[in-house]
Amino acid sequence: MSLRRTVLQTIGIILLIPSVAILTLRYEYRDHDGPSILFPGGELISGELHTGPEPDWRFTQNVPTIELQLQNPTNSRLIWIHESDGKIYVGSGYMNSILGGLWKHWAVQADAGNGLAVMRINGVRYERQLVRINSGDVLDGIAAASSAKYGGAASRQAIESGDTWIFELAPRAGQSMQEPPAESMKAPIPNELISNEKLVNEKLVNEKLANEKIVNEEQDGEEK
Amino acid sequence: MTTKNYFILCAALSAVTSLLVLYVPPVARAIELGLLLFLSTNAG
């Protein structure tokens, strides 16, 4: 009985330590600037934000993985990238399986949400719009690119059956040649609000000065 | 070992492991590398 107990306790400890380590690493990376190989990261912050014309995406043929972050939620992951006919795509496999349901939340979130995303390649960030592609002859090109680069990860059949989801990393509407949306889409603050804010600030300063005066007078009175 | 002592040991080991991972970067890197090696060897 005692031996059995000791063996079970030892197994418990052997399982506990790696589990705690993995959970801690997962926790540590959640707000990290980008993902690690195994764990998703947080918002992509560092790196120059690309503005200007669309690059020649053929350079991505030599890039094994990119960092991809959705605008909402802002966690990021490493992901394969496919280039076909001057456009770039990312995929998510196992979508019809339980594993996919547990593992590939980002694809569901991208498809259900607005699809706004940021990717980082070689230290440069690009703002993109994820657009799901699930039919059409373009899938042949994507499947061929995938096969050539990664050994047939995404076949047209798998994409059309919904087992693999493919998203085009399209330029955001009207933004490919402009400033980032975070700044450019900010609405101007109405003058009324600015003047109200000034009034509130002035009132706060006056109240603070009055309070200080009262305290000083009280202190003077105590000293006398 | 009594159940109470066992749980105390588990809690202490968990705390030490978490602190090592959080504050000793080589430990975190080694664990991640070990995991990657395990997955690349056993996946598929």
Side-chain angles (χ1 to χ4, degrees):
Chain A
M1 187 68 187
S2 176
L3 180 68
R4 186 170 167 241
R5 189 187 176 97
T6 307
V7 169
L8 285 174
Q9 286 179 341
T10 308
I11 290 170
I13 286 173
I14 289 169
L15 292 175
L16 175 77
I17 292 174
S19 305
V20 170
I22 290 168
L23 287 173
T24 310
L25 279 169
R26 178 88 163 74
Y27 174 82
E28 190 186 9
Y29 274 108
R30 81 195 192 292
D31 291 328
H32 201 258
D33 176 15
S36 75
I37 296 172
L38 291 173
F39 299 99
E43 191 173 1
L44 302 179
I45 296 165
S46 64
E48 179 197 346
L49 187 66
H50 175 82
T51 53
E54 281 280 279
D56 182 351
W57 293 116
R58 280 177 297 182
F59 79 91
T60 60
Q61 290 171 358
N62 299 318
V63 175
T65 54
I66 63 164
E67 295 167 286
L68 181 71
Q69 174 224 316
L70 295 184
Q71 192 182 60
N72 184 28
T74 56
N75 50 25
S76 55
R77 76 273 312 141
L78 284 177
I79 195 163
W80 288 351
I81 183 167
H82 318 284
E83 187 274 336
S84 174
D85 287 336
K87 293 180 178 177
I88 46 173
Y89 305 88
V90 290
S92 180
Y94 308 105
M95 295 305 289
N96 286 338
S97 68
I98 296 168
L99 178 67
L102 292 171
W103 181 22
K104 304 296 184 92
H105 291 288
W106 74 267
V108 178
Q109 287 158 347
D111 192 40
N114 58 16
L116 296 179
V118 177
M119 64 176 180
R120 186 164 57 195
I121 307 174
N122 298 335
V124 179
R125 291 178 299 145
Y126 303 86
E127 291 183 318
R128 312 303 289 178
Q129 171 96 45
L130 290 171
V131 180
R132 192 174 166 198
I133 312 282
N134 45 20
S135 62
D137 289 339
V138 67
L139 297 181
D140 288 328
I142 298 167
S146 171
S147 177
K149 191 173 178 184
Y150 300 110
S155 67
R156 179 170 181 170
Q157 193 183 6
I159 298 165
E160 286 179 334
S161 69
D163 191 47
T164 299
W165 290 13
I166 291 289
F167 294 89
E168 183 190 342
L169 288 160
R172 291 189 189 178
Q175 286 178 6
S176 61
M177 309 211 179
Q178 294 174 7
E179 288 297 307
E183 292 300 320
S184 60
M185 290 174 72
K186 273 183 185 171
I189 302 168
N191 287 334
E192 289 171 23
L193 290 179
I194 293 171
S195 57
N196 283 345
E197 193 181 354
K198 275 183 185 173
L199 285 172
V200 170
N201 285 339
E202 280 172 14
K203 195 180 170 189
L204 286 172
V205 170
N206 288 337
E207 280 177 5
K208 196 180 172 187
L209 288 172
N211 285 338
E212 281 174 5
K213 196 178 173 186
I214 291 166
V215 170
N216 288 337
E217 282 173 0
E218 282 174 357
Q219 282 175 350
D220 288 344
E222 282 171 9
E223 282 170 11
K224 284 174 187 173
Chain B
M1 192 188 299
T2 63
T3 306
K4 186 186 169 190
N5 286 343
Y6 178 66
F7 281 126
I8 291 170
L9 178 67
C10 284
L13 284 172
S14 299
V16 169
T17 307
S18 291
L19 291 172
L20 280 173
V21 169
L22 287 172
Y23 297 108
V24 187
V27 172
R29 276 198 293 273
I31 291 169
E32 202 174 356
L33 203 66
L35 272 170
L36 194 64
L37 199 66
F38 173 79
L39 289 173
S40 61
T41 312
N42 295 290

